Amino acid sequence: ESLLNDAAAITLFSFFLGMIVVAMPFDPAMAAKTFVVTLAGGALIGILGARLAAVLISFVADFRLAKVSVSLALPYLVYIAAEQVFGV
C-alpha cells in the first residue's frame, strides 16, 4: 500500500508541477505510464535490495555489528538507487 501511495503522489506531483511551471497540458496516458513505471521500478528495486540484504547478512552472520551496519545502511542505499534510476 505504501508503494502504491508513493507512486501516485510522485506521479501527480510531477504532472501538477509541470502544468504549473511550464504550462504543460495534462496527458492521462503519460500519467498512467509514469505511474506504472514508478510502481514497478520501486517494487523491483525493493526486491533486489531485499535479496542483496539477505545475501550480505548471511555472509556476516557471525558478526553482530556488521549485521546491524548492513541493516541500517542498505535500505538507505536502496532508496538512493531507486531515486536516481526511477525517481521513486
Side-chain angles (χ1 to χ4, degrees), residues 1-13:
E1 175 197 3
S2 178
L3 184 58
L4 182 67
N5 290 341
D6 291 349
I10 290 167
T11 301
L12 289 174
F13 176 76

Side-chain angles (χ1 to χ4, degrees), residues 56-88:
L56 287 176
I57 289 174
S58 71
F59 279 124
V60 295
D62 296 334
F63 304 102
R64 290 186 341 188
L65 189 57
K67 287 195 310 189
V68 170
S69 297
V70 168
S71 297
L72 287 174
L74 198 60
Y76 183 68
L77 294 173
V78 169
Y79 165 77
I80 295 293
E83 180 72 26
Q84 295 299 316
V85 175
F86 292 105
V88 175

Side-chain angles (χ1 to χ4, degrees), residues 9-78:
I10 290 167
T11 301
L12 289 174
F13 176 76
S14 64
F15 274 92
F16 287 143
L17 185 64
M19 289 170 56
I20 292 170
V21 173
V22 293
M24 178 182 78
F26 182 72
D27 181 13
M30 185 61 150
K33 178 185 173 219
T34 302
F35 175 74
V36 170
V37 167
T38 304
L39 182 65
L44 178 67
I45 293 286
I47 290 169
L48 293 175
R51 296 279 185 181
L52 180 61
V55 168
L56 287 176
I57 289 174
S58 71
F59 279 124
V60 295
D62 296 334
F63 304 102
R64 290 186 341 188
L65 189 57
K67 287 195 310 189
V68 170
S69 297
V70 168
S71 297
L72 287 174
L74 198 60
Y76 183 68
L77 294 173
V78 169

